Amino acid sequence: MTDADRSGRRLAAALTPGAGGAQVAMATAVAVALALAVSSALVAATGGSPAGAVTALYDGSLSSPAAVSSTLLYAAPLLLVAVGTCVCVRAGVFNLGQEGQVLIGALAGAGVGLRLALPGPALLVIALIAAALAGGAWAGISSLMHRFRGVNIVVSTLLMTFLAQQLVSYAVNTPWLLQETRLGNATVSPQSNRLPENGLLGSFGEYPGLQVNGGLLLALVAAVVIAVLIARSRWGFRLTMLGLNPRAARHAGVRVAALSGTALAVSGAFAGVAGAVLLASPVGTNRLQGGISNNIGWDGLLVALVARNRPLMAIPVALLFGVLRSGGGFLASTGVPHFLVDVVKSLLVLAFVVPPVLTEALRRRRESRRGGTDADTAAPKAKEAVAS
């Protein structure tokens, strides 16, 4: 096991719910307050108004039914990526390639949606399945490289993202693949044709009222199902055992390589479905484009980290990140640079992730000191017993 793998397992263990919840909660509250204070200071330093920035975020994400609909559209793919990440981190596997897996899922969904002529909702179902299989297979390549060549999973999943970006770019720039159809002498763009209507996810409600897209319902069901499987099934128990102690899991009869590879593939499958949701929901243009992922994979990973690898906790965290995404576009009206939204997200992630890690490190340090003190006390007593 490499140093990166050991570090990933230690981080996963520290972010797994355990003892000392009150201390972690207090430290997290202080860290969040500091993060918000630093964010306000940064907004003020760039010439903006902290109160105006908060108002702009609210106006763009929660002030009206249309704004809430936009927030929910962003929350759906974020939640799907986060749920898959929860699975692989539970197994002690750190997947950093969600962004590329989202792109591969969107690529597979577009290929099926535009090439197959299926009636009714069958086209959408097959496109979602193809996206899941493609995302899972893309993540599975990293698992195979680790299994047979010893390539570090953290590094390989990250580097596979750049390969995925080039594949999508090639597909939407090649006429015989997925580039949009040229009409006469019109200029073609690096994007695919629009998906047919029966390949799109439906929504409940109509604009300007509240709209709930089918992608959000799919993500919520996935979060609940995975949470139940992790907590109540034999598969979930084995995942947790593997993440906590691979050696003990192996002695208990767990096929470590197969289970860790499966967990990584499941994570990629969820990211692939998130890519299909981005393609088939009103959050975009319903066309495959090079930038369709729009950092959804990276943000979904952050959602899982903030939720401490709990699928149900990822639901409100995904909504929070959806608020930041939906309302971030309104910040320009207050004179605040849009990139500050990413800074605020990073600060909030640190505020939620750092306290449990520090608390666990301090606990282990106290235990080691206590063990050393006990050993020092026992040594003179043992010498006196031998002398007598």
Side-chain angles (χ1 to χ4, degrees), residues 116-127:
L116 296 183
L118 298 175
L123 181 62
L124 173 61
V125 173
I126 297 300

Side-chain angles (χ1 to χ4, degrees), residues 88-300:
C88 67
V89 174
R90 281 279 179 170
V93 181
F94 239 66
N95 176 16
L96 289 186
Q98 288 90 344
E99 184 77 2
Q101 292 147 21
V102 168
L103 285 170
I104 293 299
L107 175 63
V112 170
L114 295 172
R115 298 299 184 189
L116 296 183
L118 298 175
L123 181 62
L124 173 61
V125 173
I126 297 300
L128 290 173
I129 294 175
L133 293 176
W138 193 255
I141 294 175
S142 295
S143 180
L144 291 176
M145 288 192 293
H146 175 71
R147 177 72 175 85
F148 294 106
R149 304 299 299 176
V151 180
N152 182 266
I153 288 179
V154 176
V155 175
S156 63
T157 52
L158 177 61
L159 295 181
M160 290 285 284
T161 297
F162 303 104
L163 179 57
Q165 292 172 346
Q166 297 305 314
L167 284 176
V168 172
S169 177
Y170 179 74
V172 297
N173 282 282
T174 305
W176 58 271
L177 281 178
L178 289 176
Q179 189 177 31
E180 66 177 347
T181 305
R182 182 186 296 273
L183 300 176
N185 294 324
T187 302
V188 293
S189 302
Q191 62 181 9
S192 70
N193 292 327
R194 187 175 184 272
L195 286 182
E197 289 297 325
N198 63 326
L200 303 179
L201 287 162
S203 298
F204 301 91
E206 296 183 0
Y207 182 85
L210 178 65
Q211 289 181 291
V212 178
N213 187 256
L216 179 62
L217 301 180
L218 178 63
L220 291 174
V221 171
V224 173
V225 170
I226 292 298
V228 172
L229 288 177
I230 289 177
R232 301 295 181 184
S233 71
R234 180 182 301 177
W235 175 74
F237 176 74
R238 289 178 174 177
L239 275 182
T240 304
M241 184 192 305
L242 175 60
L244 294 176
N245 194 324
R247 184 175 299 177
R250 183 178 291 107
H251 283 300
V254 175
R255 298 173 62 187
V256 172
L259 186 58
S260 60
T262 300
L264 184 60
V266 169
S267 176
F270 275 102
V273 174
V277 169
L278 284 173
L279 181 69
S281 67
V283 72
T285 61
N286 303 130
R287 298 172 182 265
L288 179 66
Q289 298 170 326
I292 189 173
S293 58
N294 194 22
N295 293 329
I296 286 291
W298 305 124
D299 284 354

